[in-house]
Amino acid sequence: MLRHDKGCAAVQKHTTFSPVTLITPTASMSAAVHGGRAKCLQRLVRLDLPVPTTVALSFAAVAEIARGGLSDVTEILAPFGDAPLLSVRPSSQDPDWGGPGAILNIGMNDARHAALSQTLGEATATALYLRFVQAFALHVARLDPEAFDLPGEPTAVALSRMLQAYEDETDEPFPQDVDEQLAEVLRSMARAWDGTTARLLRQAKGAPEDAGLGLVVQEMALGVGQGLCGSGVIQFVDAATGAPQITGRYLSQSQGREALSAPSGAIYLTRDPRGPSLEDDAPEVFEALCTYGALVRSRLREEMQIEFTIENGHLRIIDAVRVHRANRAAVRIAVALAEDGIIPRDEAVMRVDPGALSEMLHRQVDPDAARDRIVSGIAASPGAATGRIVLTADEAQASAARGEPCVLVRRETTPEDIRGMHAAKAVLTVRGGITSHAAVIGRGLGLPCVVGASDLEIDRKHGLIITPGGRKLRAGDIITVDGTSGEVLAGEPAMREAALDGAFQTLLAWADTFRDIGIRANADTPKDAQTARNFAAQGIGLCRTEHMFFEGDRLGVMREMIFANSPEDRRAVLTRLLPMQRADFAALFEIMEGQPVCIRLFDPPLHEFLPSDRAGLRDLAAQLALPLAEVTARVEALSEYNPMLGLRGVRLGITVPEIYDMQARAIFEATVAAHGRNRMVVPEVMIPLVSAKREVELVKGRIDAVAAAVQSESGVAFTYRLGVMVETPRAALRAAEIAQHAAFLSFGTNDLTQMTYGLSRDDAGRFMSTYVKQGVFPEDPFHSLDIEGVGELLSIGAARGRAGRPKVVLSICGEHGGSRSAIAFCREHGFDYVSCSPFRVPAARLTAAQLALLDREELQVESEV
Ligand code: PEP
Ligand code: MG
């Protein structure tokens, strides 16, 4: 597509365009000057399709008309003969940018009405005249629509009433002169393009501020007459799936033309048991349509919807527009065009919006379904799911055990909620931003999630949620979370199923051949890893091991470890976690089949593993056989004013080293086991929240010792890579010395953003929308990588890291990892890979390929210049 546009721009330099151009095969025309519709019509003319005479007005000509510069229309009317009947349609550069509605039957007047009454019959002539007067009154003279309703029947009385209404409203008779009619139509359409609404609408669709409008004036092909007559549209793919299928509609003259209201019966395009079809009634016309369809597809290199009329058995092609398509269809169409040799593979890759892939991976609310919106928040994890409201993780688990789908609604989630999240079909939180706990876990699990729905109130005591409008929904009521739009809906709207078909896989396989940066997945569990593998991630870029400690009965052991009184006791308790962690890592190695697996050592503050409410504290006291007061005091002693900046990450690794020792042993023993199965694994061990070189030295010393011990115990030699997570500004600044001890540096942009801005990632959601609305931040920096600030730290960190160790492997693994801007940034700075949630991997693969192709094109254009 892009190449094509550039081609047009190149032509523009060397060609002069006339403001009014008769569309012929050789006329000088381009989409950038006359608009996409005009250019498309020229292509149809070049293919020798029976297109009625058409004249194109350039953007410049239309702009001049809007400024009042239309003196006469003689030149425009010249090709159309003495008594023309014309249509005028918009022709913007990209058809998606819209434009004013078409005006048909220009030229209808009393004389023409009388003449057509003779040839076509009075009813048909009257219907044409009525439609034109109505369109002219509403869209050109901008009169009150009420006076111009179309009557049920096209009678002489109705016509004279409408003409009189026009005269009453304007104090002038309806214009009879075709020159005057056409001039007025052109002026009104040209001015409509400059209206505020039209401007805003097209800019929302990506049109530049100075987007131009062209117009095409075409001889009407009425589709009325004596013999077989009618009109319709035809397309050759299903717009929902992209599968080959003839669809469209056809109105025969008797159904469509004379009747002013919608016809009741139908003539089908293709053979149909329900009634007569064009294929049966006029097989040669139908065949010609199919032949034109195939020709247009291959020469215009696109699936087009063709508008046609049949006049006394003769086919006329009025227009062709790109078939509007669902995302799933867009993928299938692009792949089919490439497989048929019509477009090259790289173009197919460029034609699909990566966002469309993400949508295909999840169930979605049917776009046609009614939406009973109860609240909105941040769209944190795409897809939609319906379930009964539950307000605690325990209720979610109980609901899942009963086989009842549920939606977990929480003020915010904490690691304690993880099992409830696993059990729920979707998650809704009142607080939190795009990198909050609920959002990160939701994306990892592929669970639809809306966070930061700050207008929602939760009344736990009465088991209610209360919407901003005061509507109360009870626990047990059914709601739907639409994590794609950020809306929460009451009830259960119709859904569209996820649609991963062969075309999806094919397109991604092609994308991989163009891609020049690695794509890994953030995966914490075997299920995540399997998803990552299914989406062809090139390894795991971040395994957050702490999530494993919330599974099954591990939380209890973890709490015992926290309460241990000495390193020896701690080590003893951790020995019970060792086999579980070893099994976790062994499963990841097995699933990833030799692909790299980067395991991040324990990161969160220990306090997160402890209960916060009375009941939880009582349970814990019972479990540990300790007095409640002692347990409460210990929990309080562990709490911190600012836990995200407190005793976590490598700081824990240094002050409570037994945890990292156990994890390192589990990783290495799983490595040895994999070697035993002939699977060569080189584990990557990553240290979180580093800010000083000495931290790395200390941890490295212990991990090397564990590796040596496991090697000597097992008699198996293995290697491992030790890396550092760069997520404090200091680590980025000191990357040169840190890299001396690190085979890789992985930038954790969630914490790095938090610390660069001094902005809590869990609380930012409260005021982020105000900040973005007032232009303080262009976008939520937790959502869209802040290239100016955080990006500068990344580039400093990357450059200094390389200075310290030239071959250091660079990556990012924060939530930004799958976004277009982050992938572009990482390519530009020579990073080796990005790592993102498993469900974002397909879109990331496609985005990376598109960016590589765009670079290639730019290089090509530069060398051509
Ligand atoms: C990060 O900080 O970017 C990161 C990936 O780690 P986490 O989100 O677990 O803090
Ligand atoms: Mg982090």
Side-chain angles (χ1 to χ4, degrees):
M1 276 188 302
L2 190 106
R3 216 185 341 261
H4 172 68
D5 289 341
K6 282 191 174 148
C8 288
V11 173
Q12 213 180 330
K13 275 188 210 155
H14 308 292
T15 321
T16 49
F17 294 96
S18 145
V20 176
T21 308
L22 176 65
I23 299 187
T24 62
T26 52
S28 283
M29 298 194 65
S30 97
V33 173
H34 297 95
R37 172 168 270 130
K39 187 65 202 169
C40 178
L41 283 164
Q42 185 183 42
R43 292 193 176 123
L44 300 183
V45 169
R46 283 181 180 157
L47 295 176
D48 224 6
L49 264 54
V51 177
T53 304
T54 310
V55 161
L57 273 64
S58 68
F59 296 169
V62 175
E64 183 59 23
I65 293 172
R67 286 193 293 270
L70 181 68
S71 47
D72 78 88
V73 289
T74 317
E75 189 188 353
I76 301 170
L77 280 174
F80 296 107
D82 286 343
L85 265 193
L86 304 171
S87 69
V88 181
R89 290 169 206 259
S91 177
S92 50
Q93 184 166 348
D94 181 331
D96 284 347
W97 298 346
I103 306 270
L104 310 181
N105 302 319
I106 301 158
M108 278 307 291
N109 53 22
D110 295 348
R112 195 69 201 266
H113 175 248
L116 288 177
S117 296
Q118 299 298 316
T119 50
L120 303 175
E122 190 177 344
T124 302
T126 304
L128 292 173
Y129 200 3
L130 275 166
R131 282 206 195 89
F132 177 51
V133 179
Q134 185 201 40
F136 195 92
L138 302 192
H139 305 299
V140 180
R142 310 219 173 259
L143 303 180
D144 182 0
E146 265 181 30
F148 295 94
D149 279 346
L150 285 176
E153 292 297 323
T155 60
V157 175
L159 178 59
S160 84
R161 232 185 248 143
M162 200 182 276
L163 287 167
Q164 189 57 48
Y166 184 90
E167 197 164 336
D168 292 347
E169 297 276 325
T170 59
D171 288 336
E172 284 172 10
F174 188 75
Q176 296 292 308
D177 178 16
V178 64
D179 289 42
E180 186 185 343
Q181 290 176 355
L182 180 62
E184 288 302 327
V185 167
L186 295 177
R187 273 187 208 111
S188 81
M189 290 176 81
R191 285 180 190 144
W193 184 247
D194 282 336
T196 313
T197 316
R199 199 178 277 274
L200 289 176
L201 278 177
R202 66 177 177 266
Q203 280 171 9
K205 289 180 181 159
E209 222 162 281
D210 60 349
L213 175 74
L215 291 171
V216 293
V217 182
Q218 189 179 65
E219 175 202 342
M220 287 290 296
L222 288 171
V224 290
Q226 313 305 335
L228 176 74
C229 292
S231 62
V233 291
I234 187 168
Q235 66 186 49
F236 302 88
V237 286
D238 177 349
T241 65
Q245 187 188 333
I246 296 179
T247 57
R249 58 175 196 280
Y250 173 69
L251 295 178
S252 75
Q253 177 180 343
S254 58
Q255 289 171 307
R257 284 291 153 192
E258 289 173 16
L260 287 165
S261 51
S264 51
I267 287 194
Y268 297 96
L269 273 170
T270 51
R271 268 184 203 122
D272 197 296
R274 289 168 294 178
S277 74
L278 182 64
E279 188 175 7
D280 279 324
D281 284 3
E284 60 305 330
V285 175
F286 181 77
E287 208 182 301
L289 268 176
C290 294
T291 309
Y292 291 157
L295 186 64
V296 167
R297 177 176 185 263
S298 75
R299 302 295 287 279
L300 268 61
R301 308 161 76 246
E302 191 38 293
E303 285 293 351
M304 305 294 284
Q305 186 183 68
I306 296 175
E307 192 179 339
F308 64 94
T309 64
I310 304 170
E311 234 168 55
N312 302 323
H314 293 295
L315 188 56
R316 314 290 297 278
I317 303 297
I318 294 173
D319 200 8
V321 293
R322 189 175 167 273
V323 169
H324 274 287
R325 60 202 69 179
N327 288 330
R328 179 179 172 192
V331 174
R332 183 155 177 180
I333 289 170
V335 168
L337 287 170
E339 280 178 336
D340 292 346
I342 294 170
I343 59 173
R345 287 178 178 184
D346 57 353
E347 195 171 339
V349 165
M350 289 304 293
R351 281 190 182 194
V352 175
D353 171 10
L357 294 191
S358 298
E359 265 185 40
M360 288 170 70
L361 301 175
H362 306 278
R363 292 178 91 211
Q364 302 288 346
V365 175
D366 189 326
D368 300 328
R371 299 172 80 93
D372 180 4
R373 190 173 71 82
I374 54 175
V375 74
S376 291
I378 298 169
S381 175
T386 301
R388 293 185 187 283
I389 297 171
V390 293
L391 300 178
T392 66
D394 286 347
E395 286 163 28
Q397 285 179 275
S399 178
R402 290 193 302 273
E404 283 176 11
C406 65
V407 174
L408 179 60
V409 185
R410 303 282 289 160
R411 209 166 117 72
E412 63 193 323
T413 62
T414 64
E416 273 185 279
D417 291 313
I418 194 112
R419 278 180 285 176
M421 294 181 75
H422 273 282
K425 295 288 175 206
V427 176
L428 164 64
T429 68
V430 175
R431 296 185 56 192
I434 201 79
T435 58
S436 63
H437 180 265
V440 171
I441 301 294
R443 282 194 293 276
L445 296 175
L447 202 63
C449 182
V450 170
V451 299
S454 51
D455 293 335
L456 189 76
E457 227 180 281
I458 300 181
D459 178 351
R460 280 276 299 276
K461 198 159 152 217
H462 299 99
L464 293 175
I465 61 171
I466 304 161
T467 71
R471 196 161 153 191
K472 291 180 178 160
L473 289 108
R474 304 197 156 278
D477 286 352
I478 291 191
I479 57 170
T480 296
V481 171
D482 183 345
T484 305
S485 70
E487 288 189 339
V488 183
L489 314 173
E492 185 170 13
M495 294 278 185
R496 275 216 184 135
E497 292 305 323
L500 294 189
D501 50 21
F504 175 93
Q505 308 289 6
T506 306
L507 186 82
L508 285 176
W510 293 346
D512 287 346
T513 64
F514 303 113
R515 183 159 59 80
D516 54 10
I517 186 166
I519 309 286
R520 293 199 197 177
N522 295 351
D524 308 332
T525 62
K527 190 165 168 249
D528 293 349
Q530 194 55 58
T531 309
R533 194 84 192 105
N534 295 346
F535 293 147
Q538 292 164 295
I540 293 178
L542 172 64
C543 169
R544 294 174 163 105
T545 49
E546 60 273 12
H547 293 162
M548 296 166 163
F549 294 111
F550 289 98
E551 303 271 327
D553 51 3
R554 300 175 189 195
L555 186 58
V557 186
M558 195 62 196
R559 287 171 171 176
E560 272 184 58
M561 188 276 295
I562 295 171
F563 274 77
N565 285 320
S566 66
E568 290 69 38
D569 289 355
R570 233 182 337 262
R571 216 169 282 127
V573 182
L574 283 164
T575 318
R576 282 158 54 205
L577 282 176
L578 174 69
M580 303 179 202
Q581 279 264 275
R582 189 172 52 221
D584 293 334
F585 300 136
L588 295 187
F589 294 155
E590 184 68 23
I591 292 166
M592 295 312 290
E593 298 179 33
Q595 296 272 34
V597 176
C598 178
I599 297 164
R600 179 181 76 184
L601 299 173
F602 193 87
D603 182 41
L606 291 178
H607 193 261
E608 282 194 5
F609 292 82
L610 298 174
S612 49
D613 57 359
R614 288 282 310 160
L617 288 167
R618 259 197 307 271
D619 285 352
L620 182 57
Q623 182 202 337
L624 299 170
L626 288 173
L628 178 61
E630 187 180 333
V631 169
T632 310
R634 289 281 288 276
V635 169
E636 273 169 14
L638 275 169
S639 78
E640 294 171 290
Y641 283 111
N642 198 341
M644 291 309 274
L645 299 180
L647 183 57
R648 57 170 284 220
V650 68
R651 300 163 196 171
L652 258 179
I654 287 169
T655 51
V656 190
E658 300 79 19
I659 304 177
Y660 280 11
D661 287 352
M662 181 278 287
Q663 290 197 298
R665 179 166 276 277
I667 294 168
F668 298 139
E669 288 183 356
T671 305
V672 168
H675 283 220
R677 292 191 302 276
N678 275 337
R679 185 92 70 214
M680 288 306 154
V681 172
V682 179
E684 297 176 352
V685 180
M686 181 154 75
I687 313 173
L689 216 77
V690 165
S691 56
K693 175 178 106 168
R694 183 73 185 137
E695 290 169 326
V696 188
E697 281 169 357
L698 287 173
V699 173
K700 185 174 183 318
R702 289 189 79 111
I703 293 181
D704 282 344
V706 176
V710 174
Q711 303 207 46
S712 92
E713 286 158 23
S714 63
V716 176
F718 57 83
T719 50
Y720 82 99
R721 281 191 278 271
L722 184 79
V724 164
M725 202 161 170
V726 179
E727 46 188 348
T728 66
R730 193 176 193 283
L733 297 171
R734 306 303 298 165
E737 57 187 19
I738 287 173
Q740 285 163 14
H741 299 299
F744 60 91
L745 298 178
S746 187
F747 291 83
T749 47
N750 302 334
D751 273 311
L752 193 55
T753 301
Q754 168 165 265
M755 297 197 204
T756 304
Y757 279 84
L759 176 62
S760 159
R761 59 198 261 195
D762 298 306
D763 299 308
R766 282 187 175 189
F767 60 92
M768 190 55 74
S769 64
T770 313
Y771 252 52
V772 172
K773 267 189 215 137
Q774 300 206 14
V776 184
F777 301 155
E779 277 181 82
D780 177 350
F782 290 106
H783 186 61
S784 174
L785 184 67
D786 161 43
I787 303 289
E788 286 176 358
V790 179
E792 185 163 2
L793 275 172
L794 290 180
S795 77
I796 290 172
R800 294 187 183 173
R802 279 203 198 96
R805 179 189 282 240
K807 289 210 168 135
V808 67
V809 172
L810 299 173
S811 63
I812 77 170
C813 63
E815 292 307 305
H816 306 90
S819 70
R820 190 175 187 89
S821 58
I823 297 172
F825 180 93
C826 289
R827 285 187 64 253
E828 216 175 285
H829 289 78
F831 280 38
D832 297 276
Y833 67 88
V834 300
S835 189
C836 56
S837 313
F839 284 94
R840 292 181 84 185
V841 165
R845 287 165 64 197
L846 183 58
T847 303
Q850 291 185 345
L851 290 167
L853 285 168
L854 281 173
D855 274 1
R856 220 162 68 172
E857 252 177 66
E858 260 160 37
L859 276 180
Q860 223 169 317
V861 171
E862 266 167 34
S863 63
E864 277 164 19
V865 170

